[in-house]
């Protein structure tokens, strides 16, 4: 019932603010006896961290982390794991001009009305900075998925503004990480980077689509009728800042096909049941069917832009806002690691009891 | 933690199978002192029930219901409310031919692998018939929303296959219910019905999109960071049978706009803060901002069709399947009431504590 | 979060009132593939049912039950199991004289103040009649414990008023069920029955203590730090009507011993680690240690008596109350089956994930 | 579902180990707009901290704390509050001799069997040191109870070994804090201290009983049928290290009375409904009735003693254990603040939604 806790078995509790001492996460329910690969956790944090390239925000954070509980001589004990990620480059005073004004399409107005008080330093709790904790927890989830279940999770940028990545290409982690935009198609990646750079120059921002696939999932993941796998994944994805929609398998395009065109016929391949197509996205009746699970998450352009905008202040008077502060012209390349982390958290939450 | 329970304050627990004695729902957390309008509950059940028109399945069910607990002299007492909806037209033997075969894009294979046993009579627990209980609970949720919060929930069919309903028209409940397809635009409705009838004749099926709006929601609904309003709604919508995706406000189309084009500028209208556009779909930072909340849900074509299909049997041998049994050529018109019910359940779950 | 749901994996949701159509329970999370022994469920219900002897209430209920979901051809499917137990001997009008008056030490006053409405027919939801559903669910829990884990649960009456059962005697199910008071010591049983009959004659009521033991529990049951086994059991026991306290192992008497007297020294017996004494009651650090788990539950005398009592009516005017209606002079012999059921529900909830 | 989370609205998540970097707590669900009284939190921590007198352990910890999230300029924001309490006097190497041996009546054996790994430094996660976090969270709960509901919570030592505090005396906070043993009766306090000092000299330990009362509770607290107030309180109390039992109102002694002697007759006092006696302990039907809520918690003598004891090592060989390390001869005086904290957490969890 804790609103900042996700998961039912491998539970993460998120805490911290953008410009406070640290952001962090408690993981409750991690298996004991796990040797944590600290370098891998840092690798995942580095994929999310700000300042990693010229198409991300210029805020500089190492996102180095500290584990302060739940391990004994480097091994997990089954006790809650506390991970702290200090805010090193916090500049709370950069935001004093936002104290009394509501930025358009931000959480300023709603947080203030809901809680009666607003931490305006970099958005406080509403900042995507807190997803650093989620990514750290997700890294541990991925370790468990890989070591114990051989499940692999992989996301990439499928679209930035009007530039799409062709669907058919085979995707490797190397191809994804080869470009700073995390699109595995080199040509599309180049165009995406150019589009982001151009938006940045104009003080504007772009959105995009992340595609995520979960490979080698065992059959049987998902709990009808109210914890179907797609419901859990949708919940997790719609928890990510700036996400606007999610679709599974053939998604919204399913509408344009007839049943006879969309149904996934069962067949046998190397003695294993497979579907000839995978419009189901690996999920049938809310339960994984053994095929690759895949889905798309849409992200809107960053709300913070360097344009003058119409808005209101606390007294509900119209004012013009020209935002300063540091921000991303496009969050989508960094969102790749967050989408993967959330998918890993959902999967491990469902698989843990099989150990 | 019960997988068949939805909600955290106004909790519904779903039970029952397609061809068992009844389907039902327990509502735990309903406010006491509420006079239940039984006719209204029946009205909502009638909107969902099979056999309501020639574009739905021919299974005949009154979907009359019985409340067996939680009320005293017609008034809710705060105790759990049990609602039972008998299956009157059950024909479990109609499904014996499906006993050993997995229907494509159905839950047959996954249920059998997950549970080791499968109730093959009309899909058993995986049947959309169980949503009757959800709709009954949703009707009570709607009563509370209307009486106590003046919140109104309204869904309609926005698209069937390639036929779309124009976006701009004003929508009334009367216009929606004027056609059996529940599209408020008369011309589009006519084309949609024709398309469904044609698919039915061909033994095929169609999908579509339902748009839902939540009107007059108070500001402040939604609980960051893991119970954001859009996350809760996405969870609920992706729990509905045959749903393939969900998008909020400008949704996937947000990707094609720049921040400067998409941001919702704040302004004052009749002394109230409003946004000039509503690309946010009424939600910012996971919390309602007082504008209309709206979202779309995509439904795939019914998996059951009267075509011969390739599939496997229990021994993993390839077989040809020609389904019989009764089914909908398009579930989308009936899904309208389910989408509304789920939206109502989410809203009341979040608002109840304000009473 | 449903207040009428107990358990986190094997979840039971209770519903129904004393004089409504039925009382019932939904079990969500039962393992699939279980052949339900209906006779055994009835046997357990019979141990709890009213009218079973001359020391219980004269209300006549068969407590026959009906399972309406979650099974297919007699086998559990993993779907929610609905069990309905009709109220056959309901006489709601017997209670009209209690409509405006608050019975002393009953839930009348508190229910009315909390909910603003009170189902005064036999106490409505506050009646111990609803524990019939818990006992039915507990019977299924016991089946799983016995079949899958060889865990045995056994309770008996240890004390009625001032009559105690000696501690040391070996206890068999036969000895417990040999007397209507469910005390395994024949002499004590005789005295207890005499005491209850005497109280009944005087229109008075008696309390007592039930001792429960859980035998052959595996090591490792219990989840520190907030789901320790004793915390879960205490929660379950204090949910039973009329319970006033619970103690584990040496319980309140531990206070009178020094650490050097109370500590359970570890030793080896037949190659297995055992403690020489079992003051811990089989639980250390919140986790079962492999020894028998045992605890006591105190029950107060039934609040309903045939004496004239001082009380208040709805207008807060002093009135004299002479209760009529049917009631038990002592609930403790019937509580034995409820205590066992609750213990079984807690144990199966913790062990299920091992299957 | 997180095992280290308590509460459903005001949720605390506990983390940390006895000899790690810190122990801590996350509070999720605290009301926004609260000015935290840091001195009061420290005051409560000081009542629990080790080394506060010569009848407690000699481990020296300031138990100074740091709040690192959830507040903005000293005011709560509604975001999760992280409280860290550094371990300053950790001496993990003091425990190397316990690495391979199971201390009698400790959690050593059960933790090792359950998790396959054991943090043997001061008991790791099983140490009562982690209750420092609970007390810090409880202090905030108490602030809310006092400021918003005028609810007062007060516990004292009622018994140490065979020395009892007379029941009838009026109790003030000053009287309780007047002695290091926290018994409000000066004579009994003197005898209790002498008994503890004598046990300490003998290298032995004593147990006792804490009585807690919750004063001025509003009517209506508690949620039947599975979140009754006494069930929630019992759950919380049985979560405290070394607790062996809990009883409400007349508790186990209820057994020795007849219904006609025990029932609490309703009467009017100053226009308010009151019961003439309070054997119910302020709770009827699982719901507070407006009278003082009171209950007792039994604590066993500390398991760590300076006697040679029989036990087993990891290879299940009999060994003699002579514990060293620092420990309390009697934890009961320090447990007073923990019992109060847990009671406050339960109460605020139930009352919060009324704000």
């Amino acid at each position: 019932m804790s609103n900042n806790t996700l998961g039912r078995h491998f539970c993460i509790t998120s805490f911290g603010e953008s410009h406070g001492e640290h952001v962090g996460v408690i993981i409750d329910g991690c298996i004991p006896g796990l040797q944590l690969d600290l370098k891998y956790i840092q690798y995942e944090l580095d994929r999310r961290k700000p300042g990693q390239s010229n198409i991300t925000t210029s805020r500089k954070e190492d996102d180095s982390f500290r584990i302060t509980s739940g391990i004994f001589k480097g091994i997990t004990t089954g006790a809650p794991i506390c991970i702290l990620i200090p805010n090193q480059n916090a500049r709370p005073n950069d935001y004093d001009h936002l104290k009394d004004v509501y930025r358009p399409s931000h959480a300023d107005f709603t947080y203030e009305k809901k809680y009666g008080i607003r931490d305006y330093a970099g958005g406080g709790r509403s900042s995507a900075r807190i997803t650093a904790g989620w990514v750290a927890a997700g890294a541990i989830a991925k370790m468990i998925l890989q070591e114990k279940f051989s499940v692999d999770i992989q996301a990439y940028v499928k679209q930035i503004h009007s530039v799409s990545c062709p669907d058919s290409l085979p995707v490797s982690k190397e191809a994804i990480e080869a470009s700073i935009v995390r699109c595995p198609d080199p040509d599309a990646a180049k165009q995406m980077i150019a589009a982001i750079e151009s938006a940045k120059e104009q003080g504007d921002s772009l959105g995009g689509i992340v595609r995520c696939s979960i490979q080698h999932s065992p059959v049987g993941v998902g709990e009808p009728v109210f914890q179907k796998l797609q419901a859990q994944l949708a919940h997790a994805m719609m928890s990510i800042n700036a996400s606007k929609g999610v679709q599974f398998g053939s998604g919204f395009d399913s509408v344009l096909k007839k049943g006879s065109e969309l149904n996934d016929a069962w067949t046998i391949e190397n003695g294993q049941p497979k579907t000839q197509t995978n419009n189901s996205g690996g999920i049938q009746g809310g339960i994984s069917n053994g095929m690759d699970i895949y889905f798309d998450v849409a992200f809107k352009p960053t709300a913070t832009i360097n344009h003058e905008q119409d808005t209101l202040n606390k007294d509900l008077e119209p004012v013009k806002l020209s935002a300063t502060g540091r921000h991303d012209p496009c969050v989508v390349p960094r969102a790749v690691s967050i989408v993967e982390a959330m998918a890993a958290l959902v999967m491990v939450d469902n698989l843990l009891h099989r150990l």
Side-chain angles (χ1 to χ4, degrees), chain A residues 330-342:
Chain A
C330 179
V331 295
V332 190
R334 293 174 60 200
V336 163
S337 63
I338 309 171
V339 167
E340 288 181 4
M342 297 304 271

Side-chain angles (χ1 to χ4, degrees), chain A residues 33-78:
Chain A
L34 192 71
Q35 172 97 41
L36 291 184
D37 180 347
L38 304 183
K39 277 186 190 157
Y40 178 65
I41 300 175
Q42 191 62 58
Y43 166 75
E44 290 291 349
L45 282 169
D46 287 349
R47 291 175 75 211
R48 196 216 69 92
K49 79 176 174 191
Q52 61 182 271
S53 77
N54 66 326
I55 58 169
T56 66
T57 171
S58 61
R59 178 169 173 174
K60 276 290 178 195
E61 291 286 352
D62 278 348
D63 281 359
S64 62
F65 68 96
R66 204 160 87 244
I67 299 184
T68 67
S69 75
I71 56 173
F72 188 64
K73 301 185 188 294
I75 310 286
T76 60
T77 62

